[in-house]
Amino acid sequence: MNWKKLLKYSAVAFSSIIIVFGILGVWLLTQLPGPSKVKEVLNKSSAKLQNSSTTSTTNSPQNASPLGDTSSDTAVSPSSPNETMAPQKRVATQQEMSVILNDLANNEKPFVDACKDLGLAGESGFFPKKTERTATKFFEGISGSQKDPVLESVAPVLRFVFRAPGITEVLKLSEDSRGDDSLLEKAELYRQIYRAADYLQKNQTQLNQVVQKSYNLHMIAKAVALKPQLAHDGATKSFCEQIENSLSAKQNLNVEEQVQEMQKFLQDAGIDAKTIGFDPNYRAQVHSEFGKNNLTIKDAWLKDLIDKGMM
């Protein structure tokens, strides 16, 4: 066999391999969930949030999160709603998606805006728990001109995730879906998911910084909720704004120094760290994963917030 025939047969074989892989790729896309499945998962998550917001805080809160299920890669389906509740849940879904797209995923909106409303911390209802009130409505607490500082202090974590390249596109693709996803729509969906996953993996250190700072900001808001007079204290405002500015400017955090600052702040305020749940040994260790249908964010503090019914 001369080299020309060998080259010809090699070209044919190579072309056949490309065709086979192309067919496999198309088949794989037909098997993967598309934008409509993402929309279904988002609707289920919203329904769970709506369920938890209509349940008294004397009951055990559901582990629902706007980030998806935090303990596994499988989204848990909510209990079947009755007909009278269905219209309310559709409205809730639209309202929550509006907050996600217009705030959490919107780079033009502030990354964090908790300190100006510190005086409202005592009205949160999340801390200290007020059993006469219904469960905290997270999306309502972080939207509007006045925000619940106890809830808003957690929002930077969500904003960091939702503002990752690709996430907005995934949300819009799912919103525009009508249930019959084409191969092109699926291909675009997974291209954007890969962009987001790649970004979060490469920026794990920055995400941990955001979570650690949000943790400290959250503790300040809880301290003010416990002692409302702190909202008018200059040192408290200054410390709050220091962390807020660090979050907005994406400055590197010296964790050990800020732990010492937090301990001094609580000591000066006459607050036992245990009463607000501050753990000086806590260090953010976030793990982000893309499952088949959802994004999973795992961290000890975030899981604790979900277990307590915040999200």
Side-chain angles (χ1 to χ4, degrees):
M1 181 182 296
N2 60 37
W3 68 271
K4 288 185 178 180
K5 286 187 177 181
L6 180 61
L7 184 62
K8 180 180 178 180
Y9 290 139
S10 298
V12 171
F14 183 68
S15 298
S16 300
I17 291 172
I18 290 178
I19 292 171
V20 169
F21 274 104
I23 293 172
L24 286 174
V26 171
W27 177 82
L28 180 61
L29 278 176
T30 63
Q31 304 305 306
L32 291 171
S36 60
K37 183 63 177 178
V38 176
K39 185 176 184 178
E40 179 185 336
V41 172
L42 286 170
N43 287 342
K44 286 180 179 180
S45 296
S46 296
K48 284 193 291 183
L49 285 165
Q50 179 69 7
N51 278 344
S52 67
S53 68
T54 55
T55 304
S56 172
T57 54
T58 55
N59 296 331
S60 299
Q62 298 183 30
N63 293 347
S65 167
L67 296 176
D69 190 336
T70 58
S71 58
S72 70
D73 288 338
T74 305
V76 180
S77 299
S79 56
S80 299
N82 57 41
E83 292 182 2
T84 59
M85 285 297 293
Q88 294 178 352
K89 287 185 178 180
R90 283 197 293 272
V91 172
T93 299
Q94 293 172 354
Q95 178 188 12
E96 289 158 5
M97 184 55 66
S98 175
V99 174
I100 291 173
L101 289 173
N102 297 321
D103 183 331
L104 298 180
N106 187 352
N107 281 300
E108 295 182 0
K109 291 295 181 72
F111 192 66
V112 58
D113 197 17
C115 298
K116 69 178 180 62
D117 294 318
L118 268 183
L120 301 176
E123 302 173 19
S124 172
F126 177 78
F127 180 85
K129 277 288 188 182
K130 296 182 179 179
T131 55
E132 72 275 11
R133 292 184 57 171
T134 55
T136 304
K137 297 181 180 181
F138 183 82
F139 287 106
E140 289 184 13
I142 65 171
S143 61
S145 57
Q146 286 190 320
K147 303 178 186 295
D148 180 334
V150 177
L151 302 180
E152 173 64 18
S153 59
V154 180
V157 179
L158 301 181
R159 292 191 180 108
F160 183 88
V161 173
F162 281 114
R163 293 179 190 185
I167 290 290
T168 299
E169 289 79 3
V170 168
L171 292 171
K172 288 181 178 177
L173 282 168
S174 67
E175 275 296 279
D176 295 340
S177 172
R178 294 295 177 266
D180 186 15
D181 305 319
S182 69
L183 290 178
L184 287 177
E185 287 173 332
K186 285 188 176 184
E188 178 61 14
L189 174 72
Y190 285 97
R191 187 178 78 86
Q192 298 299 341
I193 286 177
Y194 174 80
R195 283 181 67 204
D198 185 58
Y199 176 85
L200 291 174
Q201 288 296 327
K202 289 180 178 177
N203 291 274
Q204 197 78 32
T205 300
Q206 188 178 348
L207 176 55
N208 280 327
Q209 289 258 327
V210 170
V211 174
Q212 189 73 46
K213 293 173 188 176
S214 296
Y215 175 80
N216 295 334
L217 190 63
H218 185 64
M219 293 304 157
I220 292 176
K222 288 173 73 174
V224 175
L226 199 62
K227 289 194 171 184
Q229 63 270 27
L230 288 173
H232 308 290
D233 175 61
T236 302
K237 289 181 180 179
S238 178
F239 189 30
C240 182
E241 290 169 358
Q242 172 192 325
I243 298 176
E244 200 168 75
N245 291 337
S246 180
L247 274 164
S248 298
K250 299 179 181 179
Q251 298 170 347
N252 286 330
L253 169 71
N254 186 315
V255 178
E256 305 308 322
E257 285 184 5
Q258 194 155 97
V259 166
Q260 292 176 11
E261 289 183 88
M262 279 297 303
Q263 289 175 315
K264 184 178 185 305
F265 162 70
L266 294 175
Q267 184 179 0
D268 292 345
I271 296 176
D272 184 350
K274 292 180 181 179
T275 61
I276 61 169
F278 175 70
D279 180 3
N281 297 314
Y282 168 75
R283 299 294 182 271
Q285 292 182 331
V286 181
H287 300 282
S288 55
E289 302 170 5
F290 273 91
K292 184 177 179 182
N293 297 325
N294 64 314
L295 168 62
T296 303
I297 299 291
K298 296 180 180 179
D299 175 78
W301 172 55
L302 298 179
K303 182 180 184 303
D304 182 59
L305 292 179
I306 293 166
D307 289 345
K308 290 178 179 176
M310 175 176 282
M311 294 186 289

